[in-house]
Amino acid sequence: MKVIKAVVHDIEALKLKQLLSIMALKSAISARFLCLVLLPLANGFDAGKVAIYWGQNDREGTLVEACATGKYDYVIIAFLPTFVNGQTPTINLAGHCDPSYGNGCTGLSSDIESCQAIGIKVLLSLGEGRESNSIASTEDASEVASYLWNNFLGGNSSTRPLGPAVLDGIDFDIGSGSNKHWRDLAMFLKGYGMANQSQNVCITVAPQCPFPDPWIGTALTQGLFDFVWFPIIQ
């Protein structure tokens, strides 16, 4: 699992927390101790939700095992690194499954539903920073939102990469490319949820350490995100 994150709703709190994170990560304190120290700090800012990124370490166990620990409120499947610039959207879950072979990653559908059955929200994370993702226009953002809605959320597609399970939302973990039109993408995704009352699409963001975030920063100030994930350990 890549990183545990606690949620922050207030931007000023985010500035303080990012500073604390930088200081702590430069120290020799163990990762376990960092969790114990910084989680109460997050709770002091009306936080209390903990998320885990799952999918990039084949030794982390299955998705359902991660949910069964009882430690997390949100499990974020990581990542969908390729989804813009005319590229074929491709999910990357390291050694867990190969989307281009056999049934691909559709077998995760039952794991997703098992997590949701015990009250855990399951999201898909876009980006991760290794791919240069730039949304060229508002129309491009609309197309990406349509793809995400139909292939991972409450829409319909014959080629859903994770099978028929309906994810609870989308996480933005953008660390490269352009900083334009992420607001548009978030708005379109929210619009799908509002138009289809059967699902409220949860939109979250994992900003980089500098504030304001150089890629997602403008969108972060628009009040579109349900949660901002603050990194505790890496």
Side-chain angles (χ1 to χ4, degrees), residues 83-99:
F83 55 93
V84 294
N85 300 329
Q87 304 172 87
T88 301
T90 304
I91 198 166
N92 179 349
L93 298 181
H96 289 287
C97 57
D98 185 346

Side-chain angles (χ1 to χ4, degrees), residues 174-180 182 207-218:
I174 309 301
S176 64
S178 169
N179 61 3
K180 299 182 182 300
W182 298 112
Q208 306 299 309
C209 284
F211 188 89
D213 183 277
W215 291 283
I216 207 72
T218 301

Side-chain angles (χ1 to χ4, degrees), residues 103-124:
N103 292 325
C105 298
T106 58
L108 287 173
S109 187
S110 59
D111 278 19
I112 293 168
E113 292 173 344
S114 294
C115 293
Q116 292 170 329
I118 58 175
I120 296 173
K121 302 292 187 183
V122 184
L123 283 66
L124 174 68

Side-chain angles (χ1 to χ4, degrees), residues 9-26:
H9 293 283
D10 184 85
I11 298 301
E12 292 302 318
L14 180 60
K15 293 180 182 179
L16 174 59
K17 288 174 175 299
Q18 288 171 326
L19 176 59
L20 288 171
S21 177
I22 295 168
M23 293 170 63
L25 290 174
K26 287 183 178 179

Side-chain angles (χ1 to χ4, degrees), residues 142 145-146 149-150 187-196 199 201:
S142 177
S146 176
W149 172 256
N150 288 313
M187 288 182 65
F188 283 125
L189 288 170
K190 278 294 185 185
Y192 275 113
M194 294 174 65
N196 299 268
Q199 184 184 14
V201 179

